[in-house]
Amino acid sequence: MSNEYLKFDQMAEALLEKAQRDGAETMWDRRAAQKTQCGFGEAGVCCRICAMGPCRVSPVPGKGAERGICGASADTIVARNFARMCAGGTSAHSDHARDIVHAMHASKAEGPFKIRDEAKLRRIAAEWGIEAADTKETYALAHELANMALEEFGKPFGTQRFLQRSQKDRLNIWERENIAPRAIDMEVTTLMHSTHIGCASDYESIFRRGMRTSMSDGWGGSMIGTEFSDIMYGTPTAKPSSSNLGVIDKDQVNILIHGHDPNLAEMVVLAAENPEMIELAKAKGAKGINIVGMCCTGNEMTMRHGIKIAGNFYQQELCIITGAIEAAVVDVQCIFPALPALAKKYHTRFISTSEKAKISGDLYIQFSEATGLENANEIVKIAVENFVNRDASKVEIPDVKCDTMVGYSVEAIIDHLDKVVNTNTTDKTGTVKPLTDVIYAGVIRGAAGVVGCNNPKQVHDLAHVTVMKELIKRDVICVTTGCAAQAAAKAGLLQLEAKEMCGRGLKEVCERVNIPPVLHMGSCVDISRILDLVNLCALEKDVDTALLPVVGIAPEWMSEKAVSIANYVVGSGINTYLGVIPQVLGSPNFTKLLTEDCQEFIGAHFVFEKDPIVMVDKIMEDLEAKRTALGI
Ligand code: NFS
Ligand code: SF4
């Protein structure tokens, strides 16, 4: 087992040693078993799209086969592989969103699926042009809006409704370049068709189709996912929470909720609050029921309820290795198929719940909108009854946790800005003007969205934390989501006290607005909140997003969803920095398209940079160049 990458996280090292003692296998053992990873795959030049293949072409021009059996070049193969990652990512985010909309479609006053943010329901309904959005009966309106949202997935004509939010220069670019996304399912289907054997071979055309598909994620699926989750479960407000494996409580029944979709997790939280269940836990010798979150389900639940954050992607195994988890409950995405076998080394029950993500090896309890709360009750009961099976000799919970602030939806950020406006100026409230003012005045130099996963190709969490620390030191405010946000929480960057790590300008802003310098904006689907925030700044100044001093960063990304995100962020006019190099280098042409040429038509590009410090230097140059061009 190699611990080499984990020096940053001493706690992880201790738990990995425990895993070895317990005879439990982890991702690090499997990473070592992979030995050297395939160079063709790494360069993106392996194709297995048809059964004449697999074909691998040379990543170095002039050396070895230059074309696959059908004649596809490295450019075509790389572009197709990349595009199919966009399709995979878009479908994951958007299908998650569809489940939220279905829950809203099934919502009723007597719950458990009910409307919790009625103001937002009416606001979005009015935005989408529903008549009498302010007076219609709540659930009639919710069902009508849900029906409209379902059409965004499959409507035969027109583009995504949320595009109309955009600043007009950006919208014009999307229309001019034909990347304004149509129905989400249509974009994914068209892309799969375009990249079938013998279809598109022009790498630029494939890239553009990929970007349009990703745009249907950012401005379609993800935005629907966020807005409709807020309507159903409440729009997040700033609140305290706690992070890292030390939030697991040895005296309580610990339930780990892991995955992405808030539908299941909301029901589990509800079921665990049931006094009868708490009594049962006490009867089994526990002090109560402790729910801890991981990955984006964790983010959704901490944003709305302050549920404690057990950790991010790479901690999913460590969590079980503590020996103190009664049940690991999962829905969809980013769940290691290795977990059930790992759980068996301990007393932990592993429960998968989604038809789309049935994970074999332990329990499967199918969750549905019709029976949501009953399913959750059954799950919580299994966890509680399992407490007596815990083996005290195997329990080792690291004594590490860090206080954190969470819950910064766009609405919550504006609310904080308003408090400053109210006491200091005569500006109108409810806008991002105080934010654009401090950016334009140079008090802060710009803004960065730091997002994405963990990946053993980067030192775990270190790239996230280094990038954020360096940026705030240089007066760049950060917003964060996904596993990056959890890395920030564990490193103390989401506390109000983190202002002490900032440059002078950002520190003053944090003090006046009473916010941390790094703001937790939610799950990866909630990167739509970041789009929304940047777009509000663009609207405030009436300039194209591409002119603003803002960047997107994914220091440790790994998933197809992250590829889709990077594409829609670039498509939205925001330069995007990737700390893990995507599998495209086998095509110098396609690489140049991403890192240079797309600037010409979309006004933004990708930057690949593994070293977080060098990356921050590049980002600062980028932000300052934007400032100079704006004359600020
Ligand atoms: Ni995002 Fe969230 Fe984490 Fe990466 Fe996975 S949990 S949707 S994909 S690993 S940030
Ligand atoms: Fe080979 Fe072409 Fe088939 Fe790909 S599509 S596997 S390059 S023959």
Side-chain angles (χ1 to χ4, degrees), residues 32-188:
Q34 286 291 319
K35 303 209 169 69
T36 307
Q37 284 172 307
C38 170
F40 292 93
E42 187 71 49
V45 289
C46 169
C47 183
R48 43 166 297 280
I49 277 174
C50 88
M52 292 193 285
C55 300
R56 31 183 226 187
V57 302
S58 171
V60 187
K63 271 194 171 177
E66 283 185 19
R67 292 184 179 272
I69 295 170
C70 67
S73 65
D75 294 341
T76 302
I77 293 173
V78 165
R80 283 195 306 219
N81 288 340
F82 189 76
R84 285 188 165 213
M85 289 187 90
C86 297
T90 298
S91 63
H93 282 148
S94 305
D95 206 41
H96 158 167
R98 185 174 5 224
D99 283 346
I100 304 293
V101 180
H102 274 295
M104 186 154 133
H105 197 264
S107 66
K108 38 184 189 277
E110 55 278 15
F113 293 104
K114 53 167 156 257
I115 303 301
R116 290 178 174 81
D117 188 342
E118 185 161 336
K120 190 159 199 169
L121 166 72
R122 296 195 185 280
R123 185 148 51 85
I124 304 285
E127 184 181 342
W128 281 13
I130 295 184
E131 267 180 49
D134 50 344
T135 51
K136 264 195 188 144
E137 192 274 323
T138 310
Y139 287 87
L141 185 63
H143 299 155
E144 191 175 342
L145 186 65
N147 270 321
M148 276 175 97
L150 290 172
E151 281 169 15
E152 292 305 289
F153 292 85
K155 64 188 182 187
F157 304 105
T159 53
Q160 287 297 304
R161 286 177 187 278
F162 277 134
L163 296 186
Q164 297 309 320
R165 287 181 169 186
S166 169
Q167 194 274 341
K168 62 179 185 320
D169 297 346
R170 186 66 2 210
L171 192 57
N172 289 339
I173 291 171
W174 294 336
E175 274 158 11
R176 184 189 75 203
E177 299 300 333
N178 194 20
I179 59 161
R182 308 162 301 162
I184 301 157
D185 293 351
M186 193 192 287
E187 292 299 359
V188 174

Side-chain angles (χ1 to χ4, degrees), residues 234-262:
T235 302
T237 53
K239 54 179 69 66
S241 183
S242 185
S243 63
N244 221 338
L245 292 174
V247 304
I248 299 168
D249 185 345
K250 73 170 181 15
D251 297 324
Q252 299 197 58
V253 172
N254 292 300
I255 301 179
L256 172 69
I257 43 175
H258 172 25
H260 283 78
D261 179 334

Side-chain angles (χ1 to χ4, degrees), residues 29 37 147 150 186 198 224 274 286 313 322 326 404 406 423 425 448:
D29 302 303
Q37 284 172 307
N147 270 321
L150 290 172
M186 193 192 287
I224 293 171
N274 181 342
F313 185 62
T322 64
E326 272 57 57
T404 184
V406 297
T423 53
T425 75

Side-chain angles (χ1 to χ4, degrees), residues 26 40 51 65 79 143 160 173 193 198 221 300 346 407 455 562-563 611 627:
T26 69
F40 292 93
H143 299 155
Q160 287 297 304
I173 291 171
H193 177 190
E300 296 273 354
Y346 302 90
N455 186 325
V563 176
D611 183 323
R627 300 189 65 88

Side-chain angles (χ1 to χ4, degrees), residues 363-475:
L363 273 176
Y364 173 67
I365 296 174
Q366 192 164 314
F367 177 86
S368 78
E369 285 97 38
T371 56
L373 193 54
E374 289 157 44
N375 303 140
N377 278 328
E378 188 185 349
I379 288 166
V380 173
K381 192 152 183 245
I382 289 168
V384 169
E385 289 181 336
N386 194 24
F387 185 76
V388 295
N389 297 322
R390 195 192 281 182
D391 177 351
S393 71
K394 279 195 172 174
V395 174
E396 194 177 310
I397 303 169
D399 186 21
V400 276
K401 59 179 166 189
C402 187
D403 288 340
T404 184
M405 289 295 292
V406 297
Y408 294 95
S409 58
V410 173
E411 291 84 341
I413 292 172
I414 290 178
D415 191 48
H416 276 72
L417 295 174
D418 278 350
K419 288 188 181 125
V420 182
V421 171
N422 282 331
T423 53
N424 291 301
T425 75
T426 52
D427 277 348
K428 67 177 181 338
T429 55
T431 75
V432 293
K433 183 164 180 297
L435 177 61
T436 51
D437 282 353
V438 286
I439 293 177
Y440 270 58
V443 179
I444 55 181
R445 307 308 294 172
V450 189
V451 306
C453 328
N454 294 132
N455 186 325
K457 288 178 181 170
Q458 274 286 4
V459 181
H460 270 130
D461 282 352
L462 185 60
H464 286 309
V465 174
T466 307
V467 163
M468 289 187 250
K469 273 190 177 167
E470 288 298 318
L471 285 172
I472 62 173
K473 206 195 286 176
R474 302 181 205 194
D475 286 323

Side-chain angles (χ1 to χ4, degrees), residues 93 96 258-260 294-297 299 312-314 316 333-335 451-454 464 481-484 486 523-525 527 556-562 565:
H93 282 148
H96 158 167
H258 172 25
H260 283 78
M294 178 144 290
C295 285
C296 283
T297 284
N299 285 323
N312 52 2
F313 185 62
Y314 94 110
Q316 54 186 290
Q333 303 167 23
C334 300
I335 304 145
V451 306
C453 328
N454 294 132
H464 286 309
T481 62
C483 291
Q486 293 165 330
S523 63
C524 294
V525 155
I527 291 171
E556 305 181 22
W557 72 276
M558 61 85 202
S559 72
E560 289 175 324
K561 291 177 285 179
I565 292 164

